[in-house]
Amino acid sequence: MNLGEIIKKIREQKGLLQKQVATELGIGYTNYNKMENGNREPSVKELQLLAKLFSMTTDQILNFEGQTPLEVTIEDKKDFEKINLNNQLEEEDKQTVFKIIDTMLTKKKFKDFFDKNVATL
């Protein structure tokens, strides 16, 4: 499959019209149609906008395997599955998750300390 065919397949799986995607990319319908037909390659910026629109990474688009990824939710997963999902993130994203957890733990410790010491006054 060439890149145009991949973009078309993803667009169709997402239930989007060519006109909608063209508008999001800030290009005319004709230019977008040429892209899907393989007569025009998307620019890097357009590829980034497509990734954002499709809720995918550019790498997922370029290495598309036939199905768009399903939305991942972790609320109903067991703890070990949540950790495994976190391990699949890129290093920068992992660090962001850990910073959020650190912040929440610090707030909890401060609240516990405050509750314990104010209660004794």
Side-chain angles (χ1 to χ4, degrees):
M1 242 194 286
N2 68 41
L3 186 55
E5 291 170 331
I6 290 170
I7 292 169
K8 179 179 181 178
K9 185 163 187 165
I10 295 170
R11 175 185 60 77
E12 289 173 343
Q13 287 181 5
K14 296 286 186 177
L16 298 168
L17 300 173
Q18 283 188 340
K19 289 180 182 181
Q20 291 173 296
V21 178
T23 300
E24 289 294 322
L25 296 179
I27 62 175
Y29 167 78
T30 304
N31 275 331
Y32 180 76
N33 189 284
K34 287 179 184 178
M35 190 184 306
E36 279 195 5
N37 290 325
N39 298 321
R40 176 185 180 278
E41 291 293 323
S43 68
V44 171
K45 182 179 179 182
E46 290 168 341
L47 186 58
Q48 290 170 330
L49 289 171
L50 283 168
K52 185 176 179 183
L53 176 65
F54 295 156
S55 299
M56 298 172 73
T57 65
T58 55
D59 188 54
Q60 287 172 317
I61 293 172
L62 294 171
N63 298 298
F64 187 65
E65 296 178 2
Q67 286 293 329
T68 55
L70 299 173
E71 184 177 330
V72 176
T73 56
I74 64 169
E75 292 104 19
D76 57 346
K77 305 270 187 225
K78 295 181 179 178
D79 289 342
F80 71 91
E81 290 177 292
K82 291 177 186 179
I83 292 168
N84 188 40
L85 287 172
N86 187 63
N87 287 335
Q88 294 176 21
L89 298 174
E90 297 200 15
E91 191 58 37
E92 185 178 337
D93 294 332
K94 283 184 200 177
Q95 293 307 315
T96 300
V97 170
F98 291 135
K99 286 177 186 175
I100 292 169
I101 292 170
D102 286 344
T103 301
M104 295 172 87
L105 288 171
T106 300
K107 287 180 181 179
K108 182 180 180 337
K109 287 180 181 179
F110 179 75
K111 181 184 177 309
D112 291 348
F113 174 82
F114 184 77
D115 289 345
K116 180 181 176 183
N117 290 307
V118 170
T120 61
L121 292 179

